[in-house]
Amino acid sequence: MLGSRSAGEMHWQIVPDKHTWVARVQTDFGGVLPGLRRVQTSRVHPRTLTSLGYSEGDGKRSTFETQVDRSGGVLTLKQGRDEASAPLLGDVHDPVSVLLWLRANVQLERADVLMAGGKVHVRRLADVDVNGVHARAFELRPGGALVYLADAPPHRVLTLVQPTDFGLLDAILRVERSRIRADTPRRRRR
């Protein structure tokens, strides 16, 4: 939402893949914003919830990528044709893995989280009510993003607020009811 108008849809998918989790976030902007697609894919360590690799693009090709070589101690960033490597000084996060990590660390008051481009300062704010659900609020700086997590496990992300050039962009969670699968036998009424 941008103001009170629709700005598109965001879909999350988290699946296990060998010894990692793969989190894929597809955002289809539209409504009051120009129609475009942004796909973020994060390979996440299942225990530490840190980034093992990240890519961002339009779904067809990546425009930004990070690769984490833990055994070699190297972090590689790619943007277009440009590539740079640096020593890996510790566990790093990406824009998706930091949200998964925050869900597992809802008790913290403050933390500095290492990202590929620097540090993100996480600060807990006062708890709030989000559509009837008690939520814990966090601010991420720089950038000024706000993250609202359900207080009860599994601490779902309820709302994300991201400042943009267009204004504050609110991503509001809507849980879709699972659909009945076509191969599931249905009960007949008598």
Side-chain angles (χ1 to χ4, degrees):
M1 301 288 290
L2 188 60
S4 61
R5 300 178 296 180
S6 175
E9 291 186 351
M10 177 184 282
H11 299 275
W12 282 70
Q13 180 183 30
I14 302 170
V15 295
D17 181 40
K18 295 183 183 177
H19 303 292
T20 67
W21 288 352
V22 176
R24 185 177 189 273
V25 180
Q26 179 176 310
T27 307
D28 292 305
F29 293 99
V32 298
L33 293 177
L36 63 101
R37 174 171 286 168
R38 180 177 179 200
V39 177
Q40 299 167 279
T41 304
S42 175
R43 285 183 29 260
V44 180
H45 189 284
R47 186 176 41 79
T48 63
L49 302 176
T50 55
S51 182
L52 298 173
Y54 174 78
S55 67
E56 189 175 298
D58 61 7
K60 296 176 185 168
R61 62 184 180 93
S62 295
T63 55
F64 178 77
E65 212 174 310
T66 63
Q67 296 172 349
V68 178
D69 178 0
R70 291 169 66 121
S71 61
V74 177
L75 174 66
T76 304
L77 290 95
K78 296 179 183 178
Q79 187 164 10
R81 295 180 185 199
D82 297 330
E83 183 175 319
S85 294
L88 183 63
L89 302 175
D91 287 335
V92 295
H93 284 279
D94 59 58
V96 175
S97 73
V98 74
L99 295 175
L100 299 175
W101 174 85
L102 189 56
R103 286 181 59 195
N105 291 282
V106 294
Q107 299 298 332
L108 66 84
E109 294 294 323
R110 292 180 184 276
D112 287 333
V113 178
L114 187 61
M115 304 277 283
K119 284 186 182 176
V120 170
H121 306 286
V122 178
R123 179 174 66 113
R124 182 153 175 204
L125 304 175
D127 291 358
V128 296
D129 181 85
V130 175
N131 298 323
V133 177
H134 186 255
R136 298 177 187 204
F138 296 90
E139 177 185 45
L140 282 64
R141 290 210 174 264
L146 300 174
V147 180
Y148 297 91
L149 303 174
D151 187 38
H155 309 295
R156 292 179 301 136
V157 177
L158 299 173
T159 303
L160 299 171
V161 179
Q162 180 69 47
T164 69
D165 293 342
F166 303 104
L168 290 178
L169 189 60
D170 295 337
I172 302 166
L173 177 72
R174 285 188 304 195
V175 178
E176 295 180 10
R177 292 186 177 183
S178 60
R179 297 181 185 153
I180 298 174
R181 291 180 26 197
D183 58 30
T184 304
R186 296 184 184 182
R187 289 186 174 175
R188 298 182 88 169
R189 287 182 139 180
R190 295 182 187 214

